[in-house]
Amino acid sequence: MDKSNYKNIFVFVEQRDGVIQPVGLELLGKAHELAQILGEKVVAMFLGHNIKNQCQTLIEYGADEVVYADCPELKDYLTEQYSQAIAQISDKYLPNIILFGATTIGRDLGPRLSARLATGLTADCTKLEISEEKELMMTRPAFGGNLMATIMCTEHRPQMSTVRPGVMQKMARDTSRKGEIMEFKPVFDPSKFAVKLVKKVKADKGKMDITEAKILVSGGRGVGCKEGFEKLGALAKTLNAQVSSSRAMVDAGVMPHDVQVGQTGKTVRPNLYMAIGISGAIQHLAGMEESDLIIAINRDKDAPIFGVADLGVVGDFNKIVPLLNERLQKEMQEK
Ligand SMILES: Cc1cc2nc3c(=O)[nH]c(=O)nc-3n(C[C@H](O)[C@H](O)[C@H](O)COP(=O)(O)OP(=O)(O)OC[C@H]3O[C@@H](n4cnc5c(N)ncnc54)[C@H](O)[C@@H]3O)c2cc1C
């Protein structure tokens, strides 16, 4: 294979119900940084139906070009339809790198495409860099998060990776950015469409995704039970925050998996992360240590969480959380 034929960083930008997903914009931001080192372009791949009018937004968030495919077959994500379209885009444009969000869609699509394009895929990356030889260095936790493995795909192209939502940062929107928008018309083989979308059922309409929250009040085994989490819920209400959890409380059946922070949960980067009764295991830290401000409440002064906290309170959360909540409510009323 002549690697020099393969150029540019392609980013698969997900849409759901026509809404661009934040992880796509985060990846455009990272791709912009990497493309400058490589001297290549960032190309957004955008698939859906009636989505053309959103292509300019992708340019404003860092894409130099957009390749979009707009047809009824691509309205909702379906593995085969999307795999056929992206494999054809890849065959035409020969990307050097393709990045996907490590979402349910990206985790389904990435492996399918890596098999179809006969190349490698590094899943769930937390860091992407370019080596001196201009290869993509893809870093991800390995062996239960006890070490970080950096993986390269030197023999095949495109180099492909999935990256978790919330890990990379999107660029500030620049409405003056200009770029080329190109339509791609996939030629489908419907005989391979084995799956039909019958209906879509949304999980929980009222609840916000914790990766989108500006403030998270997170509880661990030290919080212990539903009554403990009610105290955290009251504080979260005052702060207009969401409640999240360590894996210990998910495994115990106290909290649902979709609010788990960490290596096997979600990666979050809120403005404020409150870690309450959480020891700070490496698998938990992997999901929250990039938060802007971390406040830990723990009765063990030697808990590892204090190693990453900006502010630490040593004591029993049962006493501290209600007092803090009361004080905040009072201050807010006085304002
Ligand atoms: C492959 C793998 C993947 C994993 N993925 C994740 C993951 O995604 N997310 C995750 O969180 N974990 C994950 N884990 C588990 C992780 O290793 C820890 O076991 C887990 O994070 C511990 O949760 P915790 O901090 O709530 O509990 P503990 O480690 O038991 O800590 C409880 C803390 O509460 C404090 N405490 C107790 N009572 C009080 C009180 N009244 N007031 C204040 N503080 C109190 C204690 O001092 C202690 O520090 C994973 C593990 C493996 C092996």
Side-chain angles (χ1 to χ4, degrees):
M1 116 155 349
D2 185 356
K3 292 198 282 191
S4 64
N5 291 334
Y6 290 77
K7 288 251 159 347
N8 301 328
I9 306 181
F10 280 54
V11 174
F12 170 66
V13 179
E14 248 178 78
Q15 56 78 23
R16 295 188 189 202
D17 294 327
V19 180
I20 296 170
Q21 298 301 293
V23 66
L25 305 181
E26 291 161 18
L27 292 179
L28 287 176
K30 185 66 194 178
H32 181 75
E33 203 183 299
L34 300 177
Q36 282 179 331
I37 302 169
L38 288 171
E40 297 186 357
K41 286 183 191 162
V42 177
V43 184
M45 271 188 292
F46 194 41
L47 277 57
H49 189 39
N50 298 326
I51 45 135
K52 188 185 169 187
N53 59 354
Q54 297 191 68
C55 291
Q56 176 56 29
T57 307
L58 306 181
I59 306 262
E60 292 167 10
Y61 277 102
D64 300 305
E65 293 175 358
V66 179
V67 175
Y68 75 94
D70 195 323
C71 50
E73 290 89 341
L74 299 173
K75 181 173 184 291
D76 294 297
Y77 176 74
L78 283 166
T79 311
E80 184 58 31
Q81 282 80 333
Y82 269 59
S83 301
Q84 286 190 19
I86 297 180
Q88 288 169 26
I89 292 174
S90 180
D91 286 346
K92 177 171 177 191
Y93 291 98
L94 303 180
N96 182 14
I97 295 170
I98 306 183
L99 304 179
F100 303 88
T103 60
T104 42
I105 290 179
R107 284 176 180 180
D108 183 59
L109 187 58
R112 184 67 65 118
L113 278 161
S114 84
R116 213 161 277 203
L117 301 173
T119 186
L121 171 81
T122 306
D124 257 1
C125 294
T126 50
K127 202 174 180 189
L128 297 174
E129 294 161 298
I130 302 293
S131 73
E132 276 177 22
E133 298 76 30
K134 302 272 163 100
E135 299 284 336
L136 182 64
M137 299 198 293
M138 302 170 271
T139 302
R140 54 153 298 151
F143 296 103
N146 288 317
L147 61 86
M148 301 302 280
T150 299
I151 296 161
M152 289 156 85
C153 175
T154 54
E155 304 292 320
H156 298 274
R157 290 292 183 266
Q159 303 164 89
M160 302 210 315
S161 155
T162 65
V163 179
R164 280 199 197 188
V167 174
M168 305 301 174
Q169 266 177 318
K170 60 183 171 205
M171 279 170 50
R173 187 173 189 168
D174 176 358
T175 49
S176 67
R177 284 192 98 240
K178 302 230 166 350
E180 201 178 340
I181 296 172
M182 297 167 286
E183 182 169 16
F184 181 83
K185 287 193 191 294
V187 181
F188 292 110
D189 174 1
S191 71
K192 302 260 167 48
F193 294 173
V195 175
K196 206 165 105 188
L197 182 67
V198 181
K199 93 172 170 189
K200 290 197 278 182
V201 182
K202 295 242 165 82
D204 187 344
K205 283 183 190 154
K207 219 159 68 181
M208 192 193 197
D209 183 348
I210 58 164
T211 62
E212 304 281 312
K214 298 262 180 279
I215 304 178
L216 283 174
V217 176
S218 204
R221 204 184 328 252
V223 172
C225 56
K226 281 238 176 301
E227 292 69 38
F229 271 92
E230 278 163 19
K231 293 190 178 97
L232 269 53
L235 177 62
K237 198 168 168 215
T238 307
L239 291 168
N240 198 14
Q242 297 283 310
V243 176
S244 55
S245 165
S246 73
R247 175 163 155 181
M249 287 292 90
V250 175
D251 288 350
V254 175
M255 296 300 282
H257 182 257
D258 64 349
V259 299
Q260 181 186 318
V261 172
Q263 191 190 312
T264 43
K266 290 182 175 165
T267 303
V268 296
R269 195 196 275 261
N271 299 139
L272 169 61
Y273 186 85
M274 295 189 75
I276 303 174
I278 295 177
S279 59
I282 187 162
Q283 297 90 354
H284 188 80
L285 301 185
M288 46 63 74
E289 63 191 340
E290 296 295 324
S291 304
D292 293 343
L293 183 75
I294 299 170
I295 300 178
I297 302 174
N298 198 303
R299 67 179 181 191
D300 173 8
K301 69 173 177 32
D302 298 319
I305 192 72
F306 290 127
V308 297
D310 299 285
L311 197 76
V313 185
V314 179
D316 184 352
F317 91 94
N318 285 298
K319 290 187 190 144
I320 296 164
V321 169
L323 276 176
L324 181 63
N325 192 20
E326 206 179 293
R327 177 77 182 267
L328 283 167
Q329 283 180 342
K330 211 166 142 203
E331 293 215 355
M332 282 173 183
Q333 275 163 8
E334 283 165 9
K335 270 192 184 168

